[in-house]
Amino acid sequence: MKINIFKYAAPATFYPLAGKMIPWFMWAAALLGIAGLYYSFFEAPLADYQQGQSYKIMFIHVPTAWMSMFIYVVMAMWAASGLIWNTRLSAMMAKSLAPTGALFAFLALVTGAVWGKPTWGTWWVWDARLTSELILFFLYIGFIALGAAIEDPRRAAKATGLLALVGIVNVPIIYFSVIWWSTLHQPPSLKLNESTMGVEMLISILLMTLCFWSYTIGVALSRVRTEILQRESKTDWVAALVQEGEKK
Amino acid sequence: MSIAEALDMGRYSVYVWSCYGLTLFCIIVELVWLKQHRKMVWQRVCRMVRMTKRQKDEAQV
């Protein structure tokens, strides 16, 4: 049996599919979050020999920082797909990911500052890693503001799409900043083929990352459904959906 | 280890719990905002659909 995935690029077919997927991702996020918190507090070592128990902030800070970068890459990919193939759903997906990406960038910055105070003795330094992450947060805010400022959805999608694509250059800068420049921030503990971290700590971080990833998909799908409703409000299928909803 | 000792986080309780608390708070705010926004959009779309239907019915009469 052949499944035509392009069928789901149409808002009318994607809308009900997204509705069915949201509870699965939200439940997965809840279960992964519980498992991640259990590992973080009960399985991972009680304290770090240098940082004491303040290192537990890592289980929130690292996944939120990863998510802020990862969401931006996915958002830029959707934006590029929208610009190349002119598909409505791609632009809506990019728009739906931006607020959650901004939220994770904000959380990465704040938890980093709170972790920095007891370990570095300061809330903030203008080093390469922190500054480039702050730029990422501003890129998200710029993307959201630009989209909101342009009334015509097609023009807004083009302008925000271009901004997303230009801003993607910042993502490798954030990642490699600790290698390219001398910064207060520590170099990456986790690489593709090696890790300097204990297994329990690694499992905790991965579980929390998967939790945030599931949460992001669930929230983005929910947001894209609302966006579809707004943009397609004059179509027959939305009218039928509303009448069906009112009968219930 | 007692519960008080566990919550104290080796004197880093303010730093650790504020991070976890803020994250949870932000997630809850985002979910509530999402639900409110969807409800508002749904009501607006319902009104629009009803109005269009009424206009069509009136045109037919």
Side-chain angles (χ1 to χ4, degrees):
Chain A
M1 191 179 72
K2 270 188 180 176
I3 300 170
N4 183 8
I5 56 163
F6 293 105
K7 187 176 92 173
Y8 294 102
T13 41
F14 186 76
Y15 184 89
L17 177 73
K20 282 178 194 156
M21 289 194 296
I22 291 167
W24 289 97
F25 283 107
M26 285 308 196
W27 276 110
L31 294 174
L32 286 162
I34 292 167
L37 288 173
Y38 173 78
Y39 253 86
S40 306
F41 286 103
F42 299 105
E43 296 291 333
L46 186 65
D48 178 76
Y49 80 103
Q50 277 182 322
Q51 305 175 50
Q53 291 188 47
S54 72
Y55 97 96
K56 300 266 181 189
I57 296 171
M58 176 175 77
F59 302 124
I60 290 286
H61 174 71
V62 175
T64 52
W66 282 351
M67 288 308 297
S68 69
M69 290 189 280
F70 196 44
I71 292 173
Y72 195 92
V73 173
V74 176
M75 189 181 87
M77 279 163 64
W78 279 114
S81 144
L83 286 173
I84 297 165
W85 291 292
N86 205 20
T87 47
R88 283 173 297 167
L89 194 62
S90 306
M92 287 190 242
M93 282 302 294
K95 190 182 174 187
S96 304
L97 282 165
T100 311
L103 175 74
F104 282 123
F106 168 76
L107 285 171
L109 287 165
V110 174
T111 55
V114 174
W115 194 11
K117 185 62 184 164
T119 49
W120 301 339
T122 181
W123 300 100
W124 184 264
V125 281
W126 290 100
D127 82 350
R129 172 57 70 87
L130 278 71
T131 310
S132 51
E133 181 70 23
L134 183 66
I135 290 169
L136 183 75
F137 175 66
F138 288 145
L139 278 168
Y140 276 122
I141 299 298
F143 183 95
I144 297 165
L146 189 61
I150 303 170
E151 215 168 298
D152 177 24
R154 286 198 177 260
R155 277 184 59 224
K158 276 185 187 165
T160 53
L162 281 173
L163 176 67
L165 287 177
V166 171
I168 205 164
V169 76
N170 189 45
V171 176
I173 293 176
I174 298 173
Y175 187 77
F176 292 108
S177 58
V178 286
I179 299 164
W180 290 342
W181 294 287
S182 170
T183 68
L184 199 56
H185 200 283
Q186 68 173 71
S189 308
L190 193 65
K191 289 170 191 162
L192 276 179
N193 51 357
E194 60 172 304
S195 165
T196 54
M197 204 182 279
V199 179
E200 294 86 1
M201 290 155 106
L202 190 61
I203 292 172
S204 306
I205 287 182
L206 291 178
L207 283 170
M208 292 306 284
T209 307
L210 287 172
C211 158
F212 288 151
W213 193 220
S214 287
Y215 166 81
T216 305
I217 297 174
V219 167
L221 287 176
S222 179
R223 203 174 274 127
V224 90
R225 264 165 64 91
T226 310
E227 188 67 22
I228 288 173
L229 264 186
Q230 259 178 321
R231 289 200 196 182
E232 305 271 310
S233 60
K234 287 174 187 163
T235 57
D236 290 340
W237 75 268
V238 171
L241 190 80
V242 167
Q243 279 160 5
E244 199 180 304
E246 284 185 338
K247 273 180 202 167
K248 284 177 190 171
Chain B
M1 185 196 281
S2 69
I3 294 172
E5 275 176 335
L7 291 175
D8 186 50
M9 285 276 153
R11 290 180 287 113
Y12 292 112
S13 60
V14 176
Y15 299 106
V16 176
W17 295 122
S18 62
C19 286
Y20 282 85
L22 179 73
T23 306
L24 187 67
F25 174 77
C26 286
I27 285 173
I28 291 170
V29 167
E30 189 181 27
L31 290 174
V32 170
W33 181 82
L34 204 67
K35 203 171 177 183
Q36 293 291 327
H37 182 63
R38 183 169 168 76
K39 198 176 162 186
M40 197 187 73
V41 169
W42 177 258
Q43 283 170 347
R44 199 192 303 152
V45 170
C46 283
R47 268 200 305 273
M48 197 185 279
V49 168
R50 274 197 297 267
M51 205 170 70
T52 316
K53 192 172 179 285
R54 203 182 307 133
Q55 281 170 348
K56 270 185 190 169
D57 290 347
E58 280 170 6
Q60 275 178 351
V61 170

